Amino acid sequence: MTDSEVKHNLTKHGQPKALYMLFMVEMWERFNYYGMRALLSLFMISTVIGYTKETSSKIYGMFTAMVYLTPVLGGYLADRYIGKRHSITIGAILMALGQFTLASYEIINPHLALATGLVLIILGNGFFKPNISTIVGELYEPGDPRRDSGFTIFYMGINLGAFFAPFICGFLGEPHDPMNALEAYKWKYGFMAAGVGMIIGLIWYLVSQNKYLGHIGLYPVGKNKDESAEQNAAAEKPLTQEEWDKIKAIFTFVFFAVFFFAFFEQAGTSLNFFAKESTNLNPVLPFIGEVPLKASYFQAINPIFVVLLAPMFAKLWIKMGDKDPSIPSKFGWGLFLQGLGFTVVAVGSMFIAQGPVSALWLVFTYLFCTMGELCLSPVGLSMVTKLAPLKFMSLFMGIWLMASFFGNLLAGWLASFYESWSLTTLFSIPAVLSILFGIIMWIMTKKVKYWMHGVK
């Protein structure tokens, strides 16, 4: 199948069939990552590792930051030497090995298992993450209005895996009492489940890629045999002034995304601790009675909202037509809505002196943050494939993901004050700054649109 045939091999909904194949691969990769992430900070403060919340928050922040730094290197190697498809395979293998290494903490030293496992996951994500997203962008012709919706659908795959992961990995791996040495063995089953999820995704990818992708992503840039000689030659030309302007726009979006992710990634640390220590984990529901919950289960709230809301956002962007908000406007909304989410949990934290608060405070926090995420994160992925120069497409996807690198460093630093600041102060900072940066993004919309040269 040629690249053109891949792009025109559509489902009844008008999207390329290859999109849904990649959707499934990404779903299992995110199951792998978010299953581990739901356990990681809790694992580090358990009797197995024995770190304090401050130390575990800093390690967690450094780990999740590095996960989003290595895609710069992985994207460059894919563009110039390896090809995107081979990079995805390498990344999946490394990430699966990382999960199984984490699960081996009873066989080798727990601290060595933790360090080695996290390094393998970091390297694997560097090869995997930028390249699968870039391939999604290559399924569409320049100017195709379906692109933002396609990335929103793809983003559902990310969050479908992230939704199931905390329940399965949390159920298998999180002890009822993390400080109980007799239950310390349970963590390994959660990490093993995450690794098995990655293996399933890898097998699906290897079996399906040739059928659905043709030559897309198979070769380094400029060496795709389906491209014309003119297209291959264009990949070697110097960048034009228009391309440099578009790069300015990319870096502007990256800057604002840093602060979005710095606060959004509190989910794995400060919001996780809040769920564990300050939330009623035994709510009484009408007609059901008392329902025992685990803190790790709250990690599934955000992805389930994405799965429920993403189709609505995908249809909304298409139905709005010429009135579809610009990318800078969507970014502003993303930050503003997240600020409202942290306002909710900041208010909820005022009542913990009276005892554990209702889980609804976290539910509504995640609802607003998810709506903000859908205005920013999938739109950011799509934005890179619209604005980045062809020969550096995966590299700039890595640069976009690098926003999460700096964001997660800030997230870990902020969460490290969980025990030394009041929770109202801790959550008010993201609330105020997110709203402020959203307003600034709206003010800058005209200038950023100028740099984008008509790209929508």
Side-chain angles (χ1 to χ4, degrees):
M1 184 180 290
T2 66
D3 291 1
S4 179
E5 290 172 334
V6 169
K7 295 175 183 179
H8 293 91
N9 183 21
L10 307 179
T11 68
K12 64 180 180 180
H13 302 295
Q15 292 286 355
K17 290 183 179 179
L19 173 66
Y20 295 93
M21 185 278 283
L22 295 170
F23 173 107
M24 292 295 293
V25 177
E26 182 72 359
M27 181 191 76
W28 284 112
E29 188 275 329
R30 291 291 88 181
F31 175 93
N32 151 79
Y33 178 76
Y34 281 97
M36 175 276 303
R37 197 189 80 158
L39 297 172
L40 183 58
S41 61
L42 301 177
F43 175 63
M44 287 192 288
I45 64 173
S46 72
T47 56
V48 177
I49 302 296
Y51 291 149
T52 64
K53 290 186 180 69
E54 179 180 357
T55 300
S56 67
S57 293
K58 290 179 179 178
I59 293 173
Y60 178 94
M62 181 62 71
F63 161 68
T64 52
M66 294 302 295
V67 159
Y68 292 104
L69 177 63
T70 51
V72 177
L73 177 60
Y76 177 79
L77 292 175
D79 279 337
R80 309 307 294 176
Y81 304 108
I82 304 174
K84 302 174 184 67
R85 301 246 294 265
H86 297 312
S87 295
I88 291 171
T89 302
I90 294 170
I93 292 171
L94 288 173
M95 284 188 284
L97 289 174
Q99 300 290 2
F100 294 130
T101 302
L102 285 174
S104 70
Y105 61 84
E106 287 187 312
I107 301 173
I108 61 178
N109 180 278
H111 296 275
L112 178 60
L114 176 67
T116 306
L118 295 185
V119 167
L120 288 170
I121 294 170
I122 288 167
L123 294 175
N125 195 80
F127 282 102
F128 187 100
K129 191 66 177 174
N131 294 299
I132 192 167
S133 299
T134 305
I135 289 177
V136 172
E138 291 184 25
L139 300 179
Y140 302 92
E141 300 290 350
D144 192 327
R146 300 170 302 159
R147 187 184 297 253
D148 278 3
S149 294
F151 269 99
T152 302
I153 292 169
F154 176 70
Y155 205 69
M156 285 176 61
I158 295 175
N159 286 276
L160 190 61
F163 165 64
F164 287 111
F167 289 118
I168 296 174
C169 298
F171 174 77
L172 294 173
E174 185 187 351
H176 289 288
D177 180 7
M179 303 305 293
N180 185 346
L182 296 177
E183 291 192 341
Y185 71 91
K186 285 198 68 178
W187 298 104
K188 66 182 179 184
Y189 296 115
F191 295 130
M192 288 173 64
V196 169
M198 188 69 263
I199 294 296
I200 293 173
L202 175 61
I203 293 172
W204 169 257
Y205 172 71
L206 294 175
V207 169
S208 306
Q209 59 174 328
N210 290 332
K211 177 180 178 181
Y212 289 101
L213 293 177
H215 292 130
I216 288 179
L218 191 57
Y219 306 102
V221 175
K223 297 181 181 180
N224 186 340
K225 62 181 67 176
D226 276 2
E227 293 178 349
S228 66
E230 291 79 7
Q231 287 175 307
N232 288 330
E236 301 301 325
K237 289 182 178 179
L239 298 179
T240 65
Q241 182 58 51
E242 180 176 319
E243 288 175 319
W244 280 113
D245 284 345
K246 290 178 179 178
I247 289 173
K248 292 178 189 176
I250 291 174
F251 276 106
T252 301
F253 292 128
V254 167
F255 174 81
F256 282 92
V258 166
F259 295 96
F260 178 87
F261 291 119
F263 307 138
F264 187 81
E265 289 298 335
Q266 294 302 307
T269 48
S270 63
L271 292 178
N272 213 6
F273 299 146
F274 185 85
K276 184 71 176 178
E277 300 175 352
S278 302
T279 300
N280 180 11
L281 296 179
N282 294 284
V284 178
L285 301 181
F287 310 110
I288 298 176
E290 187 175 286
V291 179
L293 302 175
K294 292 185 178 182
S296 56
Y297 291 174
F298 284 82
Q299 298 295 295
I301 298 175
N302 163 249
I304 191 55
F305 275 139
V306 171
V307 172
L308 293 174
L309 297 176
M312 301 179 192
F313 276 74
K315 290 180 180 178
L316 178 64
W317 302 145
I318 292 178
K319 285 188 174 182
M320 292 185 74
D322 293 338
K323 295 182 180 179
D324 182 18
S326 65
I327 294 174
S329 179
K330 290 176 182 176
F331 266 60
W333 276 110
L335 287 155
F336 184 82
L337 288 167
Q338 178 173 253
L340 295 183
F342 275 94
T343 300
V344 171
V345 73
V347 172
S349 68
M350 297 177 182
F351 300 99
I352 61 174
Q354 303 169 22
V357 299
S358 169
L360 289 176
W361 290 104
L362 279 177
V363 170
F364 281 101
T365 295
Y366 283 121
L367 173 61
F368 281 108
C369 288
T370 299
M371 290 192 291
E373 178 189 9
L374 288 170
C375 290
L376 186 144
S377 197
V379 172
L381 294 172
S382 177
M383 172 273 299
V384 173
T385 67
K386 295 176 182 179
L387 296 177
L390 174 64
K391 61 182 177 180
F392 295 126
M393 187 70 74
S394 286
L395 172 63
F396 273 92
M397 186 62 75
I399 289 173
W400 162 251
L401 295 172
M402 197 168 67
S404 290
F405 164 73
F406 291 108
N408 277 281
L409 284 180
L410 288 173
W413 173 79
L414 181 62
S416 70
F417 295 101
Y418 185 87
E419 293 179 307
S420 55
W421 291 357
S422 75
L423 294 185
T424 302
T425 300
L426 185 71
F427 295 133
S428 293
I429 291 173
V432 172
L433 290 181
S434 287
I435 291 173
L436 177 62
F437 278 111
I439 293 171
I440 294 173
M441 184 78 258
W442 285 330
I443 294 172
M444 292 185 62
T445 294
K446 184 176 180 180
K447 182 64 175 179
V448 177
K449 287 175 69 176
Y450 170 77
W451 287 333
M452 293 169 64
H453 288 270
V455 172
K456 296 183 178 180

